[in-house]
């Protein structure tokens, strides 16, 4: 049985937890709805993260025991998230 969850996150200069896989891997659908965001592990920065620009969409698989975080280099940005437990 696939379980879905959705959320809208405000991403600023502090890393925000986007998805955390506990027991099962996750498929995470992301839509950046404002300025640039950077994705990565808990210590992600604008210098080390995967960049998503305004309007970008991406799908990631988060393995069991792993987490995905986002941070903004400037201001507060909006990130739409749809998570499916695989």
């Amino acid at each position: 049985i696939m379980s879905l969850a959705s959320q809208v996150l405000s991403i600023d200069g502090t890393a925000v937890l986007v998805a955390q896989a506990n027991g099962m891997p996750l498929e995470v659908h992301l839509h950046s709805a404002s300025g640039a965001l950077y994705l990565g592990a808990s210590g992600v920065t604008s210098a080390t993260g995967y960049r998503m620009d305004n309007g970008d969409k991406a799908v990631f698989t988060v393995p069991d025991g792993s987490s995905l975080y986002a941070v903004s280099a400037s201001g507060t940005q909006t990130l739409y998230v749809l998570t499916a437990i695989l």
Side-chain angles (χ1 to χ4, degrees):
I1 296 174
M2 184 183 286
S3 175
L4 295 174
S6 61
Q7 59 183 330
V8 179
L9 299 174
S10 295
I11 310 296
D12 58 19
T14 302
V16 174
L17 179 63
V18 175
Q20 185 172 21
N22 290 320
M24 299 290 287
L26 302 176
E27 182 176 273
V28 182
H29 297 253
L30 304 174
H31 179 194
S32 176
S34 53
L37 302 171
Y38 300 86
L39 304 171
S42 61
V44 66
T45 68
S46 60
T48 62
Y50 174 84
R51 182 179 171 131
M52 287 188 71
D53 290 313
N54 181 28
D56 283 354
K57 297 174 184 171
V59 179
F60 294 93
T61 299
V62 179
D64 183 29
S66 297
S67 300
L68 180 65
Y69 287 80
V71 69
S72 167
S74 64
T76 300
Q77 312 306 332
T78 302
L79 179 64
Y80 291 90
V81 181
L82 178 66
T83 304
I85 297 173
L86 299 178

